[in-house]
Amino acid sequence: MKRTFFVSFALVCFLGALWLKPDAPALELSREPSAQPTAHEPKRAPRKADRGSPSFVPPADLGSPVAAANAYVTLHRDALGIQSHHQLKPEEYRSPLGSAVKYSVYQGKHLVMGLQLEIFVNKKGSVSRVSNGYRPVEEAGEEAWEAPAKNFTDGVTVFETESAPVALLFVPENSPASKAEPAYAVQVKNKTTQETHQGIFRASDGQMLALSKGRGEP
């Protein structure tokens, strides 16, 4: 049976960073940011109930590009659609033109894979561009991971587990659904081909949701 896999180099790098990155407590920012960078207003997302102020992990140094991006997100939280049950973890990527602040989305300790937000801050400290890959999704209950699947499979092959599963939420690329799938990120081996993969598997039944070649594979 031929099966189409969602293969992405970004998945390999992202999962590797996920397994190495320690958890950190969320910091709740005030509703009024200390700085208000100028930028074009982002497209307004469908408005929901009061989302409250977005929270960021970890706190940013005052005057840094991350602080400027955090202030912008706080100011435009409704337009960006940020929900109160989500926390944002920024990571700064510098260039000669400024900094790109890329946000990973978390629900508590669980990464919400498939949602992202990127804010570009120029050398003057102003937001110059916004790439919004965030969309509202329902909050998942902790019970989703209480009875994990015993096997991880693509429907044909049962994979051999090579790392401890990491609980997360998965939103498929370009999916219109407003629900994130409780899942596990885990490194597995195909017993037949001996190939190592990094994949995402549904928490309830172990069914594969995404798979890519592991690091070091051709």
Side-chain angles (χ1 to χ4, degrees):
M1 179 184 296
K2 185 174 181 181
R3 186 178 183 86
T4 302
F5 297 132
F6 169 68
V7 180
S8 168
F9 175 74
L11 171 62
V12 177
C13 297
F14 200 60
L15 291 177
L18 169 65
W19 286 318
L20 294 175
K21 185 177 292 184
D23 290 333
L27 172 71
E28 190 74 20
L29 296 189
S30 63
R31 283 182 174 270
E32 295 298 327
S34 58
Q36 298 180 4
T38 58
H40 296 294
E41 184 75 14
K43 292 183 180 180
R44 185 167 295 275
R47 191 176 183 85
K48 293 204 175 232
D50 182 22
R51 300 183 179 94
S53 291
S55 56
F56 303 94
V57 183
D61 294 332
L62 188 64
S64 68
V66 173
N70 286 355
Y72 181 88
V73 173
T74 300
L75 183 64
H76 298 288
R77 63 187 180 277
D78 288 334
L80 294 169
I82 308 299
Q83 297 170 287
S84 60
H85 58 269
H86 285 158
Q87 299 80 46
L88 303 178
K89 287 191 176 184
E91 190 169 354
E92 181 184 359
Y93 297 85
R94 298 184 180 181
S95 75
L97 299 178
S99 295
V101 181
K102 298 183 180 182
Y103 292 92
S104 299
V105 180
Y106 282 75
Q107 181 192 302
K109 63 182 180 180
H110 302 303
L111 170 70
V112 185
M113 191 174 183
L115 300 184
Q116 59 277 320
L117 174 64
E118 189 169 2
I119 307 291
F120 297 88
V121 181
N122 61 29
K123 285 293 188 180
K124 295 181 179 180
S126 297
V127 173
S128 58
R129 186 158 58 94
V130 177
S131 177
N132 188 10
Y134 179 94
R135 64 180 184 273
V137 294
E138 297 176 12
E139 184 174 8
E142 288 294 324
E143 66 277 3
W145 295 275
E146 289 179 356
K150 295 181 179 180
N151 296 305
F152 298 119
T153 178
D154 62 2
V156 177
T157 302
V158 175
F159 295 100
E160 181 178 315
T161 303
E162 292 206 323
S163 69
V166 177
L168 51 71
L169 290 158
F170 180 72
V171 180
E173 188 177 18
N174 301 321
S175 169
S178 61
K179 185 176 181 180
E181 190 84 62
Y184 288 104
V186 60
Q187 183 167 303
V188 295
K189 177 184 286 186
N190 186 317
K191 296 179 182 179
T192 302
T193 65
Q194 295 300 303
E195 288 184 320
T196 298
H197 304 270
Q198 291 181 347
I200 307 296
F201 299 87
R202 188 182 294 119
S204 60
D205 60 8
Q207 182 64 40
M208 185 186 71
L209 300 174
L211 193 71
S212 68
K213 287 286 184 70
R215 282 179 287 183
E217 290 291 321

